[in-house]
């Protein structure tokens, strides 16, 4: 037996021998303790093993084809609308863009099955195969009737990826950089979007009404075909392996993705204990009903749905899915010029997203949302008013508004909801929780993608962008009131964030905001400190007390 394996065996035995004694002595439950880190890991959290970063890279390639398709469909519309003779049929234009999300609904349920029984790598491989076949189908479609089934197949692959990739990244990453690693999901999508725009710019000059649009829409199959083989070079999620009883393989994988044996050992013990507790909690329960029945789970689910709502209804996907059409039809550019200009917003989206890596774990999820949403609101107002005036003014203000909207969206509304929903549910209902939030994000995305052509035709660009500006303003208010801060909590601790009701959280935010405003205006402020209902120290102390009561045979105060 190797020295590293011996460390694991010793740790497991020690854990088993002392577990009962720990409860007798009244020591706090392990799953509420902060993640163990060496001093070196605290000082250099981003210094991880090569295998860990290779796994992150492999998972990222799986997401790449999703981003390419988002921009590819935007450019391809300029070719396939006249080719399929549907330019004046706005509802059908919306269907061809949005029908992908019907496939996504199916893909989410496929992912739930494959992730449970076959693992994260298998799920990603299936998604890559479906994406390859679906993109080829779309590219060869002779009519819009044939085009739609190919788009549905691609949608199934995206549903699987959307359900698998963030979870895979969260399970592989240590808590100290989990927010940044899960946010990589959004960063890779933006890279894919830029690549898609780049492909559009190149092939819009290649007889785009016959051949060019087919190459654009088929481009996502390149990374997905590579991913079919690449995914098997990454280790499987240790959490999934432990759940399946493949303990030795889980230990080996943890040793590969953690810098120090003691950190890997600690993670193994904690994950194994958490899974054992999850299995007890899951026994005989309908997990979907559990999300509604248990108050703190219901609150987490509602806020997760809220985050996905404002991510989609911010209007970002109007720019991503229809930017070429907006340039052509609303700003009266030529087809080639509209595709060329769309490359710039795609580039801005790509280079702005890395801001999240340096801010999300330092300043928090809530802070990012409350800083970026007001900027997005103001920029959409600028876009709205850009349509009054001559063409040069129109173009200048439209471009400025779009660019700074994207600069704000990229580190905020884009990655934060995915990070929030990947981490906020306790492990025993995480699959069910992310299934619900992924379902809703696709539903909102479908609503936006389907409605835009008809909305633009009926209301004009002023009314349409005004509608999304209103949603951004609503997002500012709702997130200020109800969005708690989740940075710094381990996945096992996350259950304490929503122990207090949403209106208690909102009242605290109102009082805290009012104090901040008074300070800003130089007015007197009470010296009595406000205690946050999700303050980590207070919440964990309360949770520890409840744990001790539970194990001593008393009924916890909250009845849960």
């Amino acid at each position: 037996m190797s020295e590293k394996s011996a460390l694991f065996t010793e740790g497991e035995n020690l854990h088993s021998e002392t577990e009962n004694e720990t409860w007798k002595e009244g020591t706090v439950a392990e799953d509420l303790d902060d993640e163990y880190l060496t001093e070196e890991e605290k000082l250099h959290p981003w210094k991880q093993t090569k295998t860990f970063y290779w796994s992150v890279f492999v998972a990222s390639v799986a997401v790449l084809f999703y981003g390419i398709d988002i921009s590819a469909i935007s450019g391809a519309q300029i070719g396939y609308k006249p080719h399929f003779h549907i330019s004046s049929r706005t509802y059908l234009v919306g269907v061809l863009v949005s029908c992908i999300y019907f496939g996504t609904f199916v893909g989410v349920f496929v992912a739930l099955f494959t992730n449970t029984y076959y693992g994260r790598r298998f799920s990603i491989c299936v998604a890559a195969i479906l994406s390859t076949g679906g993109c080829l189908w779309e590219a060869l479609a002779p009519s819009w009737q044939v085009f739609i089934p190919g788009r549905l197949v691609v949608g199934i692959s995206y549903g699987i990826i959307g359900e698998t990739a963030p979870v895979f990244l969260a399970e592989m990453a240590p808590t100290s950089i989990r927010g940044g690693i899960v946010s990589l999901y959004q960063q890779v999508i933006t890279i894919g979007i830029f690549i898609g725009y780049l492909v559009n710019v190149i092939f819009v000059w290649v007889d785009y009404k016959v051949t060019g649009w087919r190459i654009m829409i088929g481009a996502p199959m390149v990374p997905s075909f590579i991913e079919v083989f690449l995914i098997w070079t990454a280790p499987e999620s240790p959490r999934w392996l432990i759940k399946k009883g493949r303990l030795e393989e889980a230990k080996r994988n943890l040793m590969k993705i953690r810098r120090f044996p003691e950190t890997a050992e600690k993670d193994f013990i904690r994950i194994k204990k958490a899974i054992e507790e999850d299995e007890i909690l899951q026994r005989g329960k309908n997990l979907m009903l559990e999300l509604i029945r248990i108050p703190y789970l219901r609150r987490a689910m509602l806020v997760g749905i809220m985050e996905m709502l404002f991510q989609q209804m911010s209007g970002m996907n109007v720019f991503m899915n229809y930017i070429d059409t907006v340039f052509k039809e609303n700003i009266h550019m030529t087809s080639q010029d509209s595709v060329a200009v769309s490359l710039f917003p795609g580039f801005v989206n790509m280079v702005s997203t890395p801001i999240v890596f340096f801010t999300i774990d330092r300043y928090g999820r809530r802070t990012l949302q409350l800083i970026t949403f007001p900027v997005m609101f103001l920029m959409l107002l600028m876009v709205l008013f850009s349509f009054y005036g001559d063409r040069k003014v129109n173009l200048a203000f439209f471009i400025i508004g779009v660019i700074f909207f994207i600069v704000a969206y990229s580190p905020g509304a884009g990655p934060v909801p995915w990070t929030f929903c990947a981490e906020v549910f306790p492990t025993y209902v995480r699959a069910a929780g992310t299934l619900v939030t992924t379902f809703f994000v696709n539903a909102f995305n479908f609503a936006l993608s389907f409605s835009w052509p008809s909305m633009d035709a009926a209301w004009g660009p002023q009314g349409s962008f005004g509608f999304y500006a209103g949603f951004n303003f609503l997002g500012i208010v709702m997130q200020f009131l109800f969005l708690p801060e989740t940075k710094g909590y381990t996945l096992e601790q996350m259950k304490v964030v929503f122990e207090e009701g949403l209106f208690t959280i909102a009242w605290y935010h109102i009082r805290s905001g009012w104090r901040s405003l008074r300070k800003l205006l130089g007015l007197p402020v009470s010296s009595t400190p406000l205690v946050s209902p999700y303050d980590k120290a207070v919440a964990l102390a309360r949770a520890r007390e409840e744990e001790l009561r539970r194990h001593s045979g008393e009924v916890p105060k909250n009845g849960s």
Side-chain angles (χ1 to χ4, degrees):
M1 183 182 293
S2 68
E3 184 179 346
K4 288 185 176 181
S5 298
L7 273 170
F8 265 118
T9 305
E10 181 183 349
E12 271 196 277
N13 293 338
L14 180 62
H15 178 67
S16 301
E17 291 170 5
T18 60
E19 189 175 33
N20 294 330
E21 184 181 347
T22 299
W23 287 118
K24 291 176 184 176
E25 293 176 358
T27 307
V28 175
E30 240 179 43
D31 63 344
L32 293 175
D33 291 340
D34 280 328
E35 186 176 44
Y36 173 81
L37 294 175
T38 65
E39 285 301 316
E40 174 66 16
E41 288 171 307
K42 291 176 183 177
L43 290 172
H44 305 287
W46 286 94
K47 193 173 183 181
Q48 302 292 332
T49 67
K50 291 180 180 178
T51 303
F52 171 75
Y53 280 117
W54 176 252
S55 303
V56 171
F57 170 77
V58 169
S60 300
V61 173
V63 181
L64 195 61
F65 55 80
Y66 186 18
I68 295 175
D69 181 83
I70 290 173
S71 49
I73 194 69
S74 179
Q77 287 177 66
I78 292 176
Y80 72 62
K81 285 198 297 184
H83 184 81
F84 293 152
H85 308 292
I86 60 171
S87 297
S88 61
R89 302 167 71 179
T90 56
Y91 76 94
L92 194 52
V93 173
V95 166
L96 262 63
V97 173
S98 62
C99 67
I100 190 172
Y101 299 108
F102 281 107
T104 304
F105 295 145
V106 176
V108 167
F109 288 97
V110 172
L112 187 62
F113 175 79
T114 57
N115 277 322
T116 300
Y117 295 102
Y118 300 105
R120 316 305 186 217
R121 295 188 303 176
F122 180 86
S123 297
I124 291 173
C125 182
V126 168
I129 292 171
L130 291 174
S131 176
T132 304
C135 288
L136 189 61
W137 189 330
E138 288 179 295
L140 298 177
S143 65
W144 65 263
Q145 292 93 336
V146 177
F147 184 87
I148 287 177
R151 194 126 182 89
L152 291 172
V153 171
V154 173
I156 294 173
S157 74
Y158 294 166
I160 298 172
I161 286 298
E163 184 69 12
T164 306
V167 174
F168 180 74
L169 291 169
E171 290 178 343
M172 299 292 274
T175 299
S176 55
I177 58 171
R178 187 182 65 240
I181 291 298
V182 176
S183 297
L184 188 67
Y185 176 82
Q186 186 67 25
Q187 172 66 65
V188 177
I189 290 176
T190 65
I191 294 172
I193 289 170
F194 177 71
I195 293 173
Y197 282 132
L198 195 60
V199 171
N200 293 349
V201 169
I202 294 170
F203 291 101
V204 76
W205 300 98
V206 184
D207 194 8
Y208 68 88
K209 291 184 180 180
V210 178
T211 305
W213 74 266
R214 296 185 184 277
I215 299 174
M216 295 176 193
I217 206 70
M221 68 179 291
V222 176
S224 61
F225 179 75
I226 294 172
E227 183 69 11
V228 172
F229 307 98
L230 193 66
I231 186 60
W232 301 105
T233 66
E236 181 58 89
S237 161
R239 187 179 291 269
W240 183 83
L241 291 170
I242 293 172
K243 192 168 184 178
K244 289 299 176 182
R246 294 159 61 176
L247 303 184
E248 291 301 320
E249 188 176 352
K251 294 173 186 178
R252 289 195 297 271
N253 286 0
L254 276 168
M255 283 294 183
K256 293 175 183 176
I257 63 176
R258 295 291 182 264
R259 288 183 63 199
F260 300 103
E262 57 267 33
T263 305
E265 176 193 352
K266 181 74 172 180
D267 279 354
F268 177 83
I269 293 172
R270 290 180 55 168
I271 294 170
K272 185 171 181 290
K273 180 178 183 292
I275 288 173
E276 290 168 353
E277 292 180 349
D278 289 349
E279 289 174 350
I280 294 172
L281 291 170
Q282 290 170 346
R283 198 169 295 154
K285 293 178 180 176
N286 183 312
L287 298 182
M288 287 296 180
L289 291 179
E290 195 83 349
L291 289 172
I292 300 172
R293 187 180 68 83
I294 304 297
Y296 78 87
L297 295 179
R298 184 169 62 248
R299 294 168 196 140
M301 180 179 66
L302 289 173
V303 177
I305 293 171
M306 179 188 78
E307 285 300 284
M308 291 306 191
L309 170 67
F310 291 118
Q311 180 196 64
Q312 294 304 314
M313 302 311 283
S314 67
M316 177 64 170
N317 279 356
V318 171
F319 297 129
M320 294 298 101
N321 289 332
Y322 292 103
I323 189 70
D324 303 271
T325 303
V326 170
F327 279 132
K328 182 181 179 182
E329 297 179 359
N330 297 123
I331 306 184
H332 311 295
M333 288 184 169
T334 65
S335 297
Q336 285 86 355
D337 287 345
S338 64
V339 172
V341 173
S342 68
L343 183 65
F344 191 50
F347 176 77
V348 172
N349 187 26
M350 180 179 67
V351 299
S352 299
T353 302
I355 297 171
V356 73
F357 300 135
F358 310 103
T359 55
I360 192 167
D361 288 312
R362 182 173 182 180
Y363 299 108
R365 289 66 162 148
R366 173 180 168 83
T367 302
L368 279 177
Q369 296 293 72
L370 294 184
I371 289 174
T372 56
F373 262 83
V375 177
M376 291 158 58
F377 167 69
L378 293 173
M379 291 304 101
L380 279 185
L381 288 182
M382 180 179 289
V383 168
L384 187 164
F385 286 110
S386 73
F387 291 96
Y388 298 98
D390 62 32
R391 184 173 179 275
K392 290 183 179 179
V393 173
N394 183 308
L395 180 59
F397 278 91
F398 183 86
I399 291 291
I400 292 170
V402 169
I403 287 173
F404 283 98
F405 175 91
I406 293 172
V407 168
Y409 175 94
S410 297
V416 168
W418 289 110
T419 302
F420 183 88
C421 292
E423 69 185 5
V424 75
F425 296 103
T427 52
Y428 85 101
V429 292
R430 182 166 300 133
T434 55
L435 175 68
V436 171
T437 54
T438 303
F439 174 88
F440 274 98
V441 75
N442 288 316
F444 299 140
N445 205 340
F446 167 79
L448 180 147
S449 302
F450 173 75
S451 63
W452 174 258
S454 298
M455 182 187 293
D456 188 34
W459 295 355
Q462 297 94 331
S464 302
F465 285 114
F467 174 81
Y468 289 112
F471 251 102
N472 278 273
F473 182 78
L474 181 62
I476 297 169
V477 175
M478 294 292 286
Q479 290 181 111
F480 173 78
L481 292 175
F482 298 114
L483 180 63
E485 184 54 75
T486 58
K487 75 164 185 172
Y489 287 88
T490 67
L491 293 177
E492 288 73 25
Q493 292 170 348
M494 203 65 69
K495 61 188 177 185
V496 305
V497 174
F498 288 101
E499 282 294 328
E500 296 290 342
L502 290 179
F503 288 102
T504 302
I505 291 173
W507 179 236
Y508 163 73
H509 290 150
I510 291 170
R511 295 168 65 201
S512 178
W514 177 244
R515 283 195 176 193
S516 299
L517 180 62
R518 290 181 65 88
K519 284 181 181 179
L520 185 65
L521 297 175
L523 299 174
V525 177
S526 172
S527 59
T528 305
L530 283 178
V531 179
S532 166
Y534 52 87
D535 177 88
K536 185 174 181 180
V538 174
L540 288 180
R542 182 179 61 240
R544 289 182 176 109
E545 183 181 343
E546 298 295 345
E547 288 278 12
L548 293 176
R549 282 201 181 109
R550 185 178 292 110
H551 284 271
S552 65
E554 296 181 34
V555 178
K557 291 181 180 179
N558 60 11
S560 64

